[in-house]
Amino acid sequence: MKIEVLDCTLRDGCYICNSQFGTDTIKGIISKLEKAGTEIIEIGWLKDKEHVPGTAFYHLPSDVRQYMGEKKPNFTYVTMIDWDRYNLDNLPINDHQSIDAIRVVFPHGKHKEGIEVGKALKAKGYGLYLQAANTLAYSDGDLKDLARCINEAKPIGVSIVDTFGAMYPEDLKRIAEVLDANLDPDIKIGFHSHNNQQLSFALSMQFAEMFKNGKRDIIIDASLTGMGRGAGNTTTELLVSCLNRKQGKNYDMNAILQAIDEFMVPLQRKYEWGYSIPYFISGTHCAHVNNLAYLIEKHQASNEDIWNTFENMEASDRLKYNYDLLEEKYQTRKNNESFL
């Protein structure tokens, strides 16, 4: 079994700074991650708009090249696309001068459509990774069908995604075991977590231990200081330190800490991310973070109000962001409160 770390700071961190890292920061983070030995470096998103220098939203793979030094053969450089938000007609044949692979993320219920997008990417010469968002929503039968479709597409890997930071250890174990039993042995299984319940790092370590004595290669996502949407991700610094101690890896901690000192500390002075009570509430209710943002920005809702608003919504409605419905549920909560 081989473990690879995929650092997603420059991709998941886009949610925090609207992709505006700055040219020197993008270049510096890539360089430090190479020095540290992180095997897979996610440089940002491919989007259907022209690239603005200093941002991690790219229109074409060639836009990425200006931020990279000499490509190093021991690393895989990737970007991500939403399955239905990037026009593949604009994507050129891979010239192998910038990114090596593309990650396709798709929601529960759209895995067949997302995998078809992945097949089109492969036809253009890109390596393929798949991200099954909200994997917690998949039943065992869903997971078997997901695996069947993935086996047909033959990607490099597919990641379990704890979109809402709602997983507990038994959830991850169930999902990983079903996929491991049904995926072709040469397809890597990854894990991308969110820290809504402060379980992200623990679950990542559990994931590594689950496969320790097996033959399946795995990938664990992490970001420097946990920078990422909502409550953020497993932190790269915790992950690589633990893998060095427990799994015989040899990541360069000095390079990781240099990246944090030089690039992440200045970002932390401008932006906020990480565990908070509102994100804990959204995680335990599997509620889309846009619902949380609405309640806080429009109503400055208390933690108790957020909790009870979500409690009064159907589970399927919390996954989406229907602001009219959300407003109705919030007002019902406030009206009921006035009679207490």
Side-chain angles (χ1 to χ4, degrees), residues 171-190:
D171 300 315
L172 179 59
K173 183 175 184 292
R174 173 185 72 87
I175 293 166
E177 286 180 349
V178 174
L179 288 178
D180 188 35
N182 289 277
L183 283 172
D184 289 345
D186 58 339
I187 296 174
K188 300 173 184 179
I189 298 179

Side-chain angles (χ1 to χ4, degrees), residues 6-22 25-26 29 33 42-45 54-57 80 103 192-196 200-201 221-239 256 259-260 262-275 279:
L6 185 153
D7 186 282
C8 58
T9 308
L10 292 171
R11 197 274 305 169
D12 219 330
C14 285
Y15 289 110
I16 304 301
C17 64
N18 194 28
S19 85
Q20 298 179 32
F21 289 97
T25 295
I26 297 173
I29 287 176
L33 291 174
E42 191 168 45
I43 302 177
W45 292 86
T55 72
F57 288 163
M80 181 176 278
R103 296 217 284 178
H192 180 93
S193 61
H194 288 124
N195 201 34
N196 296 64
S200 188
F201 174 60
D221 287 14
S223 59
L224 295 165
T225 68
M227 187 181 191
R229 190 174 195 180
N233 311 111
T234 294
T235 65
T236 300
E237 58 274 16
L238 286 177
L239 177 63
I256 293 293
I260 291 171
E262 293 179 31
F263 307 112
M264 304 310 295
V265 170
L267 286 167
Q268 287 176 315
R269 295 191 185 112
K270 295 175 64 176
Y271 306 103
E272 292 184 5
W273 63 85
Y275 172 80
Y279 285 124

Side-chain angles (χ1 to χ4, degrees), residues 71-127:
K71 280 193 71 176
K72 297 174 176 58
N74 295 332
F75 300 94
T76 301
Y77 304 89
V78 305
T79 54
M80 181 176 278
I81 63 169
D82 279 308
W83 71 281
D84 62 344
R85 296 180 183 175
Y86 186 74
N87 185 354
L88 295 184
D89 291 340
N90 294 326
L91 186 69
I93 299 296
N94 189 1
D95 63 6
H96 302 285
Q97 298 302 305
S98 56
I99 62 172
D100 301 298
I102 297 174
R103 296 217 284 178
V104 180
V105 60
F106 49 83
H108 177 245
K110 294 293 183 180
H111 65 276
K112 293 180 180 178
E113 293 87 341
I115 291 169
E116 286 302 312
V117 171
K119 291 178 181 178
L121 295 176
K122 283 190 65 180
K124 292 195 174 191
Y126 296 91

